[in-house]
Amino acid sequence: MIKECVGVLAIQGAFEKHRKILTSLGCNVILVKTIDDLSNINRLIIPGGESTSMRIMLKKHLLWDALKDFCNKKPVMGTCAGAILLASKIDYGNEEALEIMDFIITRNSYGRQIDSFTSDIAFTGTNSEAIISAHFIRAPKILDFGSQVNALASFEGSPVLVQQGNKLACTFHPELSDCSFIHSYFLSLS
Ligand code: GLN
């Protein structure tokens, strides 16, 4: 069986744990740092971190446009800062997004780093409901989303995991949970 080649954007942020989970699920993982790396993968995770730093680095390394192109064509999952970049609009100082998924997001919505927290959330993306321990680290909040977008999990009335076709955006850090549930779900999307 040919192993699937999955990329994890490794410009900045929490890419290492995503790599470990994907490897444990049997994927070939490429840490994506260049345009060439993008041509060797079938799907991509954009990890959490700091979205402003990521944007600056992506532009500096001339990766922004190639990344946008890749994300429009292939399955992609953005977590936390990655979700911010995938949004259609960042309602926070008019920052530029990749505009891949149809939702509006705002940053640092639950306070400062010290206010980060963990909460159990119910995932409703498959037939049976799963409970996931979700780590919110200076997390963003999805404020509104279009009709093509489905909320697969919510916290305090706001969607925290959304799907639009083969794209996922998650405002928490699934790589820090004990289960690989969300990664497996992402790998099932085509
Ligand atoms: N606060 C970060 C930002 O706005 C995101 C935090 C994270 O990825 N854990 O970019």
Side-chain angles (χ1 to χ4, degrees), residues 47-52 79-82 84 107-108 137-140 173:
E50 215 283 326
S51 52
T52 305
T79 66
C80 210
I84 294 170
R107 297 174 57 199
N108 308 329
I137 303 175
R138 213 172 180 214
H173 280 252

Side-chain angles (χ1 to χ4, degrees), residues 58-175:
L58 285 165
K59 294 215 167 190
K60 191 173 167 205
H61 295 285
L62 306 179
L63 253 173
W64 184 262
D65 291 337
L67 179 65
K68 187 167 175 156
D69 194 46
F70 181 94
C71 292
N72 270 316
K73 291 182 187 148
K74 301 278 182 139
V76 59
M77 172 164 83
T79 66
C80 210
I84 294 170
L85 293 178
L86 289 181
S88 50
K89 183 176 187 306
I90 304 170
D91 191 11
Y92 194 95
N94 225 3
E95 295 170 347
E96 187 179 357
L98 289 167
E99 299 174 21
I100 304 300
M101 296 176 71
D102 188 13
F103 62 80
I104 300 173
I105 200 162
T106 186
R107 297 174 57 199
N108 308 329
S109 233
Y110 302 90
R112 303 173 60 184
Q113 196 84 0
I114 199 168
D115 303 309
S116 298
F117 61 96
T118 302
S119 177
D120 282 351
I121 55 156
F123 172 83
T124 56
T126 52
N127 289 339
S128 54
E129 192 177 276
I131 302 295
I132 294 163
S133 173
H135 298 263
F136 294 85
I137 303 175
R138 213 172 180 214
K141 195 182 274 183
I142 293 171
L143 301 176
D144 199 7
F145 57 91
S147 58
Q148 307 287 304
V149 176
N150 281 324
L152 304 182
S154 297
F155 172 73
E156 292 182 341
S158 298
V160 292
L161 173 61
V162 293
Q163 178 174 0
Q164 182 174 355
N166 58 11
K167 330 273 179 222
L168 285 181
C170 179
T171 64
F172 55 93
H173 280 252
E175 79 283 7

Side-chain angles (χ1 to χ4, degrees), residues 6 8 14-29 31 45 77 79 135 173-187:
V6 182
V8 182
F15 50 86
E16 188 52 36
K17 287 216 161 154
H18 285 291
R19 188 185 65 75
K20 277 196 182 140
I21 291 177
L22 292 168
T23 304
S24 77
L25 291 173
C27 304
N28 264 336
V29 184
L31 294 180
I45 291 178
M77 172 164 83
T79 66
H135 298 263
H173 280 252
E175 79 283 7
L176 297 179
S177 299
D178 284 337
C179 69
S180 51
F181 196 81
I182 292 179
H183 290 79
S184 297
Y185 184 71
F186 173 55
L187 293 174

